[in-house]
């Protein structure tokens, strides 16, 4: 029988919503409704198997595979095993990723943004076109399936995707995300400016640059009317690729829905790009002002990069309630610069992390966490006025970077009440991290995990080790809305099996006790 | 019977000694003498199994497990399988790694060099002491075994280790490297200055700071008289921890051997450190001048970091023939800055890569390659005069970073004629990299490797993908001097087994041919 609840038992680590400074590390049980995927309760007194048994008894819960005649509410039990240094962590939120660029991961040579776009990116994206209307190319199927697979395997439970200009391939990406169980914003890329775009990869006209989105929006709303898993996002590529008329049309299109649609684009990534934007829009006060002029800066807008924003632009973005996606791996790989995240946070701007595949070379938000920490430590050398204490203040701690990867990302996609943490009522989008057993004293190991835990580490230190040495090998299971969407075969079965072992041994002890009791009576 | 040669067959990738700009990618056979571990010949016409058969016949070679009555020189055959996108690459050379700090990997919080040393490093290193003379602590055994294991698993065939101040633990590290088959320089850390060092972790006196090294040197020379695998290296920690008398004594000690011993230390890592060095040595012209004054700048000296060297210091280092170990992961993690590697290379300085475990968070030189590329792309933002073309020139290409990791490292440890490439006569220190099969068209995969190869990539692009997405999972086997020192169980056996398959099928074809021939005669 299908379980009504999934009870997760073990260590839970997340960032409290109120602070990005400290990890909240709790041991106990947390249960999720199978019906709506939301956290319905927690009990932080559940430590031993006996405690869990008491909880089940108190709630009249029985394991999903208990004999049929047993009465009670069926539950599935999933354990993070202490002896393997396992813990649950909120799923990562990737606020900026280009799905079709995935095959180019690691291929950028020594280029910077504008030549990289023309040399690597546009040819790849253009190849997602199909000669048959409404039928996506096999390449789109192959690549998009792999992107969703890789990001899920790296613990990404929510992604804000840029697709290509092609309607059918974009719709396919939406379908795949829904089928595979990854929450996503799906955007058809809009680019209609022939001055920047290549003739082989451009929207047919300014009108169609706007109109074609309606096909994607209505398709997505037809397969997911509530937008539980998949929502459309309006996606003008960036100022240089879009005419003013298209930008205005796209802003109006987003605003014409209730609630208004999300919007995503790029801003202030590269100095040459900024210079070119000033040339293309001479009357605009700034790059941010271009978007603001055409109505694209909204509380539901995600701006990728924001490396070189002026204080005025930061104020404008904050005033409009737009969000920033920080993509440190990409910014280093393309030599764009270092985004001063602390300054954006000081202004009150909401910041999430993005992989920016394939400007970024990795589909992993954990890599983005590492890179966010690393580049923030170099900021003191970039901004001459920030030596000494000011330089220190610019540093992002591991905890803060993890906050950006979860709570920050959730707020960037306007879902801060739904995902990013383990608060009561939130959707259970989570990953089970497996560090492995403590290193034995008398053997060496170069096995499954690169994270070496010796046994004397605190939980905080184990989390730091995971951040700096972990990768997809440590992701044992991924759940979205309480549903397993990626994992080793035994991640849920194993829990049942150990539950049965416990039941069996409890049974043996019980029978033994009854026998002993009878004997005493005789 | 033991084979006389090991014949490696498949794709070989290395950087030619003459240029760091282009990968040399060759397919064929390369054979190594089992006696001395050196490359004795290559045949780049060996593509098919038939070609290999011809080669064996021409050389009168037979497989090591051919029947006993067969005559010929026995050889072992190891294949890099084309269908799994496998290739041989030179082993990595880690020119700067602190073995005892390994358990602190990933633990540095938001500290910078000097507070990190006192908060994390000295307490860890001090714990390697033993209350029993000449008997190393169990902790040293556990940690050192794991360091050697992890670095080998990441393809490091040569490491220049800092140990601790303890003689017995340092000797143990030497023994472990020799036993496990990793080439290494082993240095007992010398620190006698009470003004900087902690009272719980300091050499007993200036005299002993020098004298204790003799015990390590004689031990290492007793277990490896030729220095084939293990050599001692004189290791004053850095200027702040050493008195002038100790530095002079150590320089004299190194010079008293024939050939002179290697020397390693740190230089110009952090701005506060540089300031403190100027205060401690007010008469010195520069940090580099301190070392030069006491005789520590020699052609066999490795200087770690060199982030903030002045042009004069760079000239001095070049004139003395000393080398620099570039440790980008560490320099970012501790916020030290970005070493302008191009400028050092322009001066003619030899540069290798170092992990700097645990200032660096990773035991992988491949991670150092990535970080060297990334930070070089940020240099244009650090050095104000280097925007535009000058900024571009500072960028290290993937090829150049791989050159530093192999040829550069080899030159930094004065072994450029022995390791770092696949030249005739060199020692075969190599890794077998396995990227995995091309991604299937109709399935997704999140399996063994993070490197996704779609099938249309050139070899150069596959190498780039390996650099940006690869890790220890892609290291299928590691050989030092032609001897397998790390690898999956089947890496050598598998090759024999497929050899037998080939022999069997060749046999079947042969018998078939004979039968057919006879029939025709009848």
């Amino acid at each position: 029988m299908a379980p009504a609840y999934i009870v997760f038992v073990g260590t839970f680590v997340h960032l409290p919503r109120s602070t990005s400074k400290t990890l909240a590390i709790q041991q106990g049980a947390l249960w999720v409704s199978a019906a709506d995927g939301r956290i319905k309760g927690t009990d932080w007194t559940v430590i031993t198997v006996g405690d869990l048994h008491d909880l089940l008894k108190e709630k009249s819960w029985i394991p999903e595979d208990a004999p049929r005649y047993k009465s009670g509410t069926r539950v599935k039990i999933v354990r993070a095993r202490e002896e393997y240094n396992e813990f649950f962590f909120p799923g990562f939120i990737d606020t900026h990723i280009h799905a079709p660029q995935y095959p180019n991961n690691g291929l950028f040579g020594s280029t910077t943004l504008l030549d990289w776009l023309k040399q690597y990116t546009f040819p790849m994206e253009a190849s997602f076109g199909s000669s048959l209307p409404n039928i996506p190319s096999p390449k789109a199927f192959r690549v998009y399936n792999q992107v969703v697979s890789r990001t899920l395997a790296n613990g990404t439970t929510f992604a804000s995707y840029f697709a290509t200009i092609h309607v059918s391939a974009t719709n396919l990406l939406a379908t795949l995300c829904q089928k595979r169980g990854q929450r996503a914003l799906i955007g058809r890329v809009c680019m209609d400016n022939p001055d920047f775009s290549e003739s082989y990869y451009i929207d047919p006209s300014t009108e169609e640059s706007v109109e074609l989105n309606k096909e994607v929006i209505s398709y997505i709303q037809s397969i997911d009317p509530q937008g539980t898993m998949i929502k459309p996002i309006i996606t003008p590529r960036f100022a240089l690729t879009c005419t003013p008329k298209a930008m205005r049309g796209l802003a109006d299109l987003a605003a014409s829905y209730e609630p208004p649609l999300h919007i995503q684009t790029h801003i202030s990534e590269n100095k040459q790009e900024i210079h070119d934007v000033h040339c293309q829009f001479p009357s605009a006060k700034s790059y941010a002002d271009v978007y603001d002029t055409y109505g694209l800066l909204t509380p539901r807008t995600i701006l990728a990069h924001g490396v070189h924003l002026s204080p005025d632009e930061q104020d404008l973005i904050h005033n409009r309630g737009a969000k920033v996606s920080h993509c440190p791996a990409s910014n280093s790989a393309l030599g764009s610069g270092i985004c001063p995240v602390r300054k954006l946070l000081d202004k009150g701007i909401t910041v999430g992390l993005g992989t920016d595949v394939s400007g970024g070379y990795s589909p992993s938000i954990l890599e983005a966490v590492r890179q966010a920490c690393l580049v923030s430590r170099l900021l003191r050398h970039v901004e001459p006025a920030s030596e000494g204490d000011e330089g220190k203040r610019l540093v992002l701690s591991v905890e803060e970077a993890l906050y950006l990867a979860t709570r920050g990302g959730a707020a960037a996609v306007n879902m801060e009440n739904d995902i990013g943490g383990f608060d009561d009522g939130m959707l259970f989008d989570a990953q089970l991290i497996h560090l492995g057993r403590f290193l034995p004293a008398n053997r060496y190991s170069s096995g499954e995990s690169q994270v070496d835990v010796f046994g004397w580490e605190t939980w905080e230190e184990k989390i730091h080790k995971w951040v700096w040495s972990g990768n997809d090998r440590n992701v044992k299971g991924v759940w979205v809305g309480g549903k397993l969407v990626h994992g080793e075969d035994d991640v849920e079965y194993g829990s049942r099996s150990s539950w049965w072992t416990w039941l069996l041994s409890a049974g043996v002890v019980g029978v033994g006790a009854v026998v002993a009791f009878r004997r005493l009576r005789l």
Side-chain angles (χ1 to χ4, degrees), chain A:
Chain A
M1 267 176 279
Y5 294 98
I6 309 104
V7 184
F8 296 89
V9 184
T11 301
F12 295 79
V13 180
H14 72 155
L15 279 298
R17 200 193 288 201
S18 56
T19 174
S20 58
K21 304 284 184 198
T22 320
L23 293 163
I25 301 169
Q26 284 160 300
Q27 214 190 342
L30 173 155
W31 49 97
V32 174
S33 158
D36 67 2
R38 289 186 184 270
I39 298 168
K40 297 299 179 190
T42 54
D43 184 341
W44 303 125
T45 69
V46 172
I47 307 296
T48 67
V49 172
D51 299 335
L52 179 58
H53 185 239
D54 291 347
L55 173 69
L56 295 189
K57 207 170 154 191
E58 176 199 324
K59 298 274 188 187
S60 302
W61 286 344
I62 56 169
E64 56 171 337
D65 48 3
R68 285 188 161 259
Y69 62 83
K70 285 266 190 185
S71 70
T73 307
R74 305 264 154 173
V75 300
K76 185 200 290 280
I77 294 164
V78 180
R79 283 176 57 215
R81 296 165 303 169
E82 187 80 10
E83 66 271 29
Y84 287 99
N85 288 300
E86 292 181 346
F87 59 96
F88 296 103
F89 195 81
F92 287 135
I93 294 157
D94 188 344
T95 55
H96 186 66
I97 172 168
H98 293 265
Q101 296 174 19
Y102 179 70
N104 278 346
N105 255 17
L107 307 182
F108 49 86
S110 299
T111 58
T112 53
L113 178 64
L114 302 179
D115 48 336
W116 167 77
L117 278 174
K118 303 211 169 190
Q119 188 176 338
Y120 293 95
T121 305
F122 291 162
M124 177 59 75
E125 291 193 13
S127 73
F128 280 60
S130 165
S131 47
L132 304 167
N134 301 322
I135 298 185
S137 71
K139 186 172 186 178
F141 180 80
R142 187 181 182 201
V143 172
Y144 286 163
N145 232 333
Q146 186 62 17
V147 175
V148 175
S149 182
R150 271 289 174 217
T151 51
L152 280 176
N154 279 282
T156 299
T157 51
F158 188 108
S160 188
Y161 284 114
F162 280 58
T164 62
I165 64 172
H166 313 102
V167 170
S168 61
T170 305
N171 289 350
L172 174 68
L173 178 59
T175 310
L176 289 173
C177 287
Q178 195 193 36
K179 293 244 157 145
R180 305 282 306 279
Q182 185 179 54
R183 282 185 218 284
L185 292 166
I186 306 284
R188 189 194 78 87
V189 169
C190 305
M191 40 198 292
D192 70 320
N193 184 352
D195 294 341
F196 185 85
S197 310
E198 301 289 326
S199 59
Y200 63 83
Y201 188 53
I202 186 169
D203 281 326
S205 69
T206 297
E207 289 64 35
E208 286 190 86
S209 193
V210 179
E211 287 301 306
L212 287 173
N213 293 293
K214 293 183 182 168
E215 293 182 35
V216 174
I217 297 165
S218 69
Y219 176 77
I220 290 175
Q221 294 184 338
S222 75
I223 63 168
D224 190 355
Q226 306 302 320
T228 313
M229 294 296 297
I230 312 295
K231 282 182 282 202
I233 182 165
I234 298 299
T235 306
R237 185 170 209 115
F238 71 124
L240 294 181
T241 61
C242 298
T243 60
K245 199 173 156 196
M247 286 195 277
R248 166 57 66 194
L250 291 169
D252 291 345
L253 181 67
S256 71
Y257 288 82
E258 184 43 47
L261 298 184
H262 287 85
I263 297 169
Q264 64 185 351
T265 188
H266 302 83
I267 197 168
S268 198
E269 178 176 358
N270 166 293
K271 288 187 179 172
Q272 184 64 45
E273 168 212 14
I274 297 166
H275 173 261
D276 292 356
V277 168
H278 285 148
C279 296
Q280 192 167 314
F281 302 91
S283 63
K285 284 197 287 283
S286 67
Y287 197 157
D289 184 51
V290 173
Y291 291 142
D292 193 46
T293 302
Y294 302 111
L296 290 166
L297 285 194
T298 78
R300 295 165 82 81
T301 298
I302 307 167
L303 300 165
H305 305 300
V307 175
H308 306 285
L309 294 169
S310 68
D312 282 353
E313 287 180 292
Q314 294 169 3
D315 287 334
L316 177 61
I317 289 167
H318 175 246
N319 291 337
R320 296 292 183 262
K323 331 293 189 197
V324 168
S325 172
H326 175 43
C327 306
S330 166
N331 297 156
S332 297
L334 297 180
S336 303
I338 304 180
C339 174
V341 173
R342 175 76 61 212
K343 293 185 179 177
L344 302 184
L345 296 174
D346 286 348
K347 293 273 186 185
I349 296 172
T350 296
V351 180
L353 292 185
T355 58
D356 193 24
V357 163
S358 70
Y361 48 83
S362 167
S364 159
I365 283 289
L366 193 66
E367 177 70 12
V369 166
R370 278 191 285 269
Q371 294 301 323
C373 289
L374 289 176
V375 297
S376 77
R377 281 156 177 74
L378 292 174
L379 263 176
R380 74 189 77 190
H381 303 283
V382 173
E383 317 233 335
S386 55
E387 302 243 341
D389 285 349
E390 174 61 13
K392 267 190 206 164
R393 230 181 56 76
L394 297 177
V395 169
L396 296 178
S397 68
V398 164
E399 288 76 12
E400 287 177 301
L402 288 172
Y403 187 96
L404 298 182
T406 53
R407 299 275 185 185
V413 300
N414 306 87
M415 288 184 74
E416 61 273 26
N417 295 325
D418 296 307
I419 55 176
F422 293 135
D423 310 351
D424 256 11
M426 277 193 167
L427 291 160
F428 189 77
D429 290 8
Q431 42 186 329
L432 174 58
I433 304 298
H434 169 98
L435 303 181
R437 283 186 189 278
F438 294 127
L439 271 182
N442 54 353
R443 285 188 295 118
Y444 47 83
S445 150
S446 56
E448 23 161 14
S449 165
Q450 280 261 56
V451 185
D452 282 338
V453 192
F454 286 80
W456 55 68
E457 295 87 349
T458 64
W459 261 109
E460 284 78 4
E461 289 176 330
K462 288 193 271 189
I463 303 300
H464 281 231
K465 286 196 162 190
W466 165 56
V467 165
W468 289 103
S469 306
N471 58 34
D472 60 321
R473 257 181 303 186
N474 302 106
V475 181
K476 196 173 159 67
V478 179
W479 290 261
V480 171
K483 203 181 125 207
L484 185 72
V485 294
H486 168 83
E488 295 176 17
D489 288 343
D490 68 337
V491 68
E492 289 195 338
Y493 177 77
S495 59
R496 285 213 299 278
S497 121
S498 52
W499 171 253
W500 272 114
T501 311
W502 176 81
L503 218 64
L504 193 68
S505 53
V508 170
V509 171
V511 169
V514 169
V515 169
F517 185 69
R518 291 252 164 129
R519 287 219 165 171
L520 281 174
R521 292 258 312 225
L522 279 176

